[in-house]
Amino acid sequence: MKYTRAQWLLILVCTLMIFCSVGMGTATFSVYLPYFINIHGFSNTQTSFLVSLRTIAAFSCMLLVTKYFKYFSLRVGMSVAMVGCALSFVIMGFTSNYYFNCFAVALLGSTYTFASMYPLTLLMTKWFGDRSAVPLSISSCGSGVAAIIMPTVVTYIIDRFSLREAFCMDAGVTLLSALLIYIFVRDVPKEENEDSEGGKSKQKAAHRFREISPKHFLLLMLAVTFNGSLTLAGWGHFAVLIKTTGYTSMQAAVAISMGGVTLTLSKFFYGFITDKIHTYKSNFVFCTLVNLGFLLCLLLPLGYSWLPVTISILMGLGCPISTLGIAMWAKEVSSPLNFPENLRKLQTCHQLGGLIFANAPGMLADLTGSYVPSYVLFSVLGLISYVIIQFIYAKNKLYNIYD
């Protein structure tokens, strides 16, 4: 694989963007929640609502994302969103007023939509065409890196200095990202027909899209909704499942940490694997891993000490299918004209799945006394999702679309 300096610069700048918008804004945001309670004096209910508000804001903005990027170019739109992200950190650092913090968290949720996978996918497709999987994989690793290193850094700064200094650090890194995006990112390469991997594949890609029927696209939306239930609601309750099946808090913490590490590594290698064996076969690899992880959750009551970490590793290895996989599906089943809107629809369905099933584990636990039945449900939904996706690929002969 040979990329130009401009392409590598684009990848690095976008990696920093994902590090800030998804990593610091979402993946490590929970680190701040205990300090909101202890320092700002927020109640548990108020703090939980902040998390819900961020999710609702991200979902609502996804409904408007295509209009947003019609008004702004990708470069300007991402820069503006990152400035908004920095502003949200500043507000949370300089005021303890609950309503101002609500506004800041809503702004943070908008960043998750306007400066994450949606514009990143469009940008990488314009620059790299049908070989955008590897650049997408590398850039998306930014969130995983943030999830690994930022909790320790943030905790140290808060304990050593104050909550304000930690948020100021976040704001400074985010503003740097906004500046780099505005200076170095362009919506398309300077030379559209330059002799590079990106230039060549971009021209060919337009003839390789096979737009599927509306009926099949509705099925794909359903599959992605089910997928969102696994990777958002299912993963979000995994620590609770571990603890309520008899394992210690330390075992749960180790399992979650291992999942974060393997997820980051898997995101990095997803693009290389998909470029090598194509999306149809990589669907099989990654969906099998994540579904196997959820199936093994049903064995947690048996008490095997190796199970939590094993399950977490399998989930981490398979979960890139819910972010990078959606980007590839949207690209490969759409015409170039409909690609942005179809990408928005699929990413909206993914978030909708997380919202619909967010309360299912708690409700089923109240009814049955255990979180395990929820993972029976998630396992079934995961299997249905995989079957639907592969059926659509087979029916439309999308086995090796780029050959």
Side-chain angles (χ1 to χ4, degrees), residues 243-314:
K243 292 179 183 178
T244 56
T245 47
Y247 297 89
T248 65
S249 297
M250 181 56 68
Q251 285 175 304
V254 170
I256 296 299
S257 296
M258 286 301 298
V261 172
T262 52
L263 174 59
T264 303
L265 292 173
S266 188
K267 279 184 176 182
F268 181 80
F269 287 109
Y270 174 89
F272 295 93
I273 294 170
T274 301
D275 270 359
K276 186 71 175 177
I277 66 175
H278 303 297
T279 310
Y280 179 75
K281 291 179 181 177
S282 75
N283 288 343
F284 172 77
V285 172
F286 290 93
C287 284
T288 298
L289 288 168
V290 74
N291 286 332
L292 181 59
F294 275 90
L295 281 170
L296 287 178
C297 287
L298 309 186
L299 301 181
L300 280 171
L302 298 178
Y304 295 121
S305 60
W306 51 269
L307 260 179
V309 170
T310 302
I311 292 169
S312 189
I313 289 173
L314 288 170

Side-chain angles (χ1 to χ4, degrees), residues 17 19 33 68 90 100 127-128 155 175 198 202 205 212 233-234 271 287 294 297 299 304 323 325 333 335 386:
M17 178 185 75
F19 180 96
L33 299 183
Y68 178 84
V90 170
F100 277 111
W127 273 75
F128 298 92
T155 302
L175 279 176
K202 182 177 182 297
I212 62 176
C287 284
F294 275 90
C297 287
L299 301 181
Y304 295 121
T323 51
V333 304
S335 67
Y386 168 69

